[in-house]
Amino acid sequence: MEKLIEKVKRRIESLAQELEHIYNDYPEAVIGEITVKNILGGMRGMKSLVCNTSYVDPYKGLFISDLEIPDFEDKSPEEIFFLLVTGSLPSVDELNELKSEFNKRSRVPQHVWTTLKSMSQTTHPMTMFSIGILAMEGESVFKQKYARGIPKSDYWKYTLEDSLNLIAKLPELAAGIYRILFMNGELIDTSDEKLDLAGNLTYRLGFNRHNPSFADLNRLYLVLHCDHEGGNVSAFTSRVVNSALSNIYLAASAGLNGLAGPLHGLANQVCLNFITCIHDQFGNNPTVDQVRDFVTATLDAGKVIPGYGHAVLRVTDPRFTSFMKFGDAHCSDSPYLQTVKKLFQVVPDILRSYKGGKVANPWPNVDAISGSLLYHYGMTHYEFYTVMFGISRVLGFCAQNTIARGLHQPIIRPKSVTTAWLKEYLKKQ
Ligand code: NMX
Ligand code: MLT
């Protein structure tokens, strides 16, 4: 892995130099003000972190380095990880080296299966995924090295080493959970095969695997969800946990627990359930008016419309557009995709006037469409969809934390205040 390690080292050195200049030249420069609205509003819009793996432009969406989604949507997850952590796409040799490294490290230890198989069948797949990762925490090289004593300058190397070990095992772990919960626990072995991350996942899930477009969808899934800058709930959680030098297994598991919430990654599961409820009520080909009525009734019941809105984006999520392009090419007649389109026709207008125009972004996010495509290919157990999101998002956690440790970023610990303090402070203004 010398090539990858060397490139990450160079990137960290160059970022460290840039940050040192910034720190020395502008130590007291003001980036923004903190308002009461910020403190009471989930810190929305407050610039308070540095993240160089990716950036989300409110009007253009996700950028990885200077690449927008159409520039990288046809890449593999391996290429994307390389891009996230080094800032550039790999050469053919670098890519082959990374693929073979992941392949070598891909086996999940037997004790993890014993743990997962002993759990109740009612356990949510995201809980199992998080526990499966935690169960492998004993293998952390960072933890072992830290206990013996290592210089700060080596933290990133062992974070990267742990990251490679963890990412390599995710397809087998995730597919195994799918088969434990939904396929009588019969795991599919691929130890003879030289498969890449997406190929391993597709093969081990064990259905429709001879359908090349399902394999393409899995690849796209693992690419589009990989990272969304540093402030989203899951990445931020993993950054906070890793900043305490809790190893990447602990940080990834924690981040995934955030992703498992319905306002974050679980929204893809909730969206599929939402569409299923529309179909149960009106049949598989509801009219636009019926869809509109269903949306209005959902809002009247005090619920949110899953897959719509975003904390940063102010346009249709380009990840939604990318999935739509895939759907139009491969399954345009799917009733689920058709209902996604009808929702896209009615929801933005409804949300624009909802709560007196309070909804900051009435447009669809990635979760409004991703599940409908998996459903089309026969993955009908939609409780699993957030695991698919999670496999990909761990790439971002690993890249962000490797760089953060390389830059010796300190433990993340903002100051909180009491309401009494706030009242007292504001009285004096
Ligand atoms: N349906 C109904 N109400 C909404 C929606 C929606 N889709 N989106 C925002 N609002 C409401 C929101 O609940 C809030 O109401 P209140 O002040 O009464 O609590 C008001 O509009 C203002 O919220 P925003 O500032 O627009 O949104 P915020 O940044 O706080 O939250 C989300 C962003 C994504 C949490 C929010 O839009 C939402 O709940 N969407 C539905 C769930 C979803 O799709 N989540 C997935 C996000 C992407 N991901 O993968 O993580
Ligand atoms: C994500 O991919 O993390 C979501 O779109 C949420 C976010 O960016 O806040």
Side-chain angles (χ1 to χ4, degrees), residues 213-214 354:
S213 60
F214 181 62
Y354 179 61

Side-chain angles (χ1 to χ4, degrees), residues 144-173:
Q144 288 157 25
K145 296 281 180 189
Y146 188 83
R148 279 186 228 138
I150 43 167
K152 223 175 187 178
S153 55
D154 280 353
Y155 289 176
W156 71 268
K157 287 182 201 155
Y158 301 115
T159 303
L160 180 60
E161 177 68 12
D162 278 353
S163 296
L164 295 172
N165 282 331
L166 174 60
I167 293 169
K169 293 175 179 58
L170 296 180
E172 181 175 335
L173 176 65

Side-chain angles (χ1 to χ4, degrees), residues 41 44 225 232 259 261-268 271 299 303-312 314 317 319 347 351 354-355 358-361 365-368 389 393:
R44 195 75 71 263
H225 294 93
N232 65 77
L259 193 71
L263 296 189
H264 193 13
L266 199 83
N268 62 8
C271 278
L299 292 172
K303 299 181 191 169
V304 296
I305 306 303
Y308 281 77
H310 201 273
V312 176
R314 294 296 174 259
D317 189 338
R319 297 172 295 179
V347 174
L351 285 184
Y354 179 61
K355 289 192 173 172
K358 212 176 172 194
V359 180
N361 177 45
N365 60 59
V366 65
D367 301 318
F389 189 150
R393 186 48 61 93

Side-chain angles (χ1 to χ4, degrees), residues 227-237 259 264 393 397 400:
D227 205 33
H228 222 229
E229 68 176 37
N232 65 77
V233 166
S234 54
F236 183 59
T237 304
L259 193 71
H264 193 13
R393 186 48 61 93
F397 299 163
Q400 289 197 25

Side-chain angles (χ1 to χ4, degrees), residues 36 100 147 238 240 245 251-252 302 336 364 381 412 429:
V36 169
S100 103
S238 91
V240 172
L245 302 185
Y336 274 74
H381 295 282
I412 298 175
Q429 297 306 297

